[in-house]
């Protein structure tokens, strides 16, 4: 989809844990209101702050599409 960015959060650890990425690390310009669309479980979340953060199972991944709300 044009105007969106995808981010994958990988947990390479042997235990479940929190994985995050700062929006500034993505080298994109974002507006203030963003929605995260989780691509596998089809959930939507409003992003608050400047960080995409998720609990990810050991050796798991969460993939999000970030779109302007």
């Amino acid at each position: 989809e044009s105007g969106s960015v995808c981010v994958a959060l990988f947990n390479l650890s042997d235990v479940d844990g929190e994985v995050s990425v700062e929006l500034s690390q993505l080298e994109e310009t974002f507006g203030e209101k963003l929605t995260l669309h989780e691509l596998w479980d089809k959930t939507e979340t409003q992003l608050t702050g400047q960080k995409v953060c998720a609990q990810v199972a050991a050796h798991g991944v969460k993939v999000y599409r970030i779109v302007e709300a």
Side-chain angles (χ1 to χ4, degrees), residues 27-46:
E27 299 182 10
E28 293 285 335
T29 302
F30 295 100
E32 291 185 24
K33 291 186 130 190
L34 301 174
T35 300
L36 299 176
H37 298 273
E38 210 289 331
L39 298 183
W40 284 311
D41 66 18
K42 307 294 185 198
T43 58
E44 287 189 4
T45 306
Q46 295 299 314

Side-chain angles (χ1 to χ4, degrees), residues 46-57:
Q46 295 299 314
L47 182 65
T48 57
Q50 295 295 309
K51 184 189 295 188
V52 177
C53 185
Q55 287 294 319
V56 183

